[in-house]
Amino acid sequence: MGDWVGHARDTLERDGYRLSAPRTAVVETLATLGCSVTAKEIADRLHQRGEDVGVASIYRTLDLLDRLRLARRVDAAEGVARYEPIDPSGDHHHHIVCERCGQVTAFEDRNLEAAIDQLSRRVEYSIDAHDVTLRGRCPACRSAS
């Protein structure tokens, strides 16, 4: 994700946004944490590193990154917004969410991507992006039942 940080900085500067210390801290922390993280998780990590960035600044930065298509908001259906960096190469993954404990697991599937590509040729829409979130029970929750 090191190249994502550079890409995000370049995009922010190109679009006229200042690289303030809080904004930079959020970008770097999101890159470090990676997949499907909450603003609180980012705030906790910043606090652990001794960086004082307000939650409002974190949300504003995440919203900006989402609008600029540098990060994506992930709907894990748990009532909390989650975010992750968008790889500039276009590589991406999807998520499986445990409906019982809320664990979020990333997955990739070439066959799923091929099916989505075939579907995009059959519909009248221009498909620019997609997210797939599957829901069920993780192995630990299944065995606890």
Side-chain angles (χ1 to χ4, degrees), residues 24-96:
T24 299
V26 171
V27 166
E28 291 173 354
T29 304
L30 180 60
T32 300
L33 294 174
C35 177
S36 189
V37 298
T38 65
K40 182 177 179 345
E41 290 168 334
I42 292 171
D44 290 346
R45 177 63 61 92
L46 290 168
H47 181 73
Q48 289 170 358
R49 292 192 328 220
E51 297 184 56
D52 186 26
V53 178
V55 176
S57 292
I58 294 169
Y59 275 110
R60 279 193 303 270
T61 299
L62 292 171
D63 183 55
L64 175 61
L65 295 173
D66 184 47
R67 282 194 326 264
L68 294 176
R69 298 183 71 130
L70 292 168
R72 142 180 39 254
R73 184 180 167 136
V74 177
D75 174 24
E78 55 189 359
V80 175
R82 293 183 168 274
Y83 296 86
E84 62 188 20
I86 295 175
D87 192 314
S89 72
D91 286 344
H92 67 281
H93 59 263
H94 302 289
H95 303 94
I96 303 174

Side-chain angles (χ1 to χ4, degrees), residues 74-133:
V74 177
D75 174 24
E78 55 189 359
V80 175
R82 293 183 168 274
Y83 296 86
E84 62 188 20
I86 295 175
D87 192 314
S89 72
D91 286 344
H92 67 281
H93 59 263
H94 302 289
H95 303 94
I96 303 174
V97 178
C98 179
E99 291 182 321
R100 188 169 189 192
C101 71
Q103 177 180 327
V104 179
T105 304
F107 75 94
E108 296 177 17
D109 187 291
R110 287 187 183 144
N111 292 331
L112 176 60
E113 295 301 323
I116 291 169
D117 186 51
Q118 289 175 357
L119 174 68
S120 72
R121 290 187 224 133
R122 292 193 317 259
V123 297
E124 294 179 13
Y125 287 80
S126 169
I127 307 298
D128 298 324
H130 64 271
D131 281 320
V132 174
T133 302

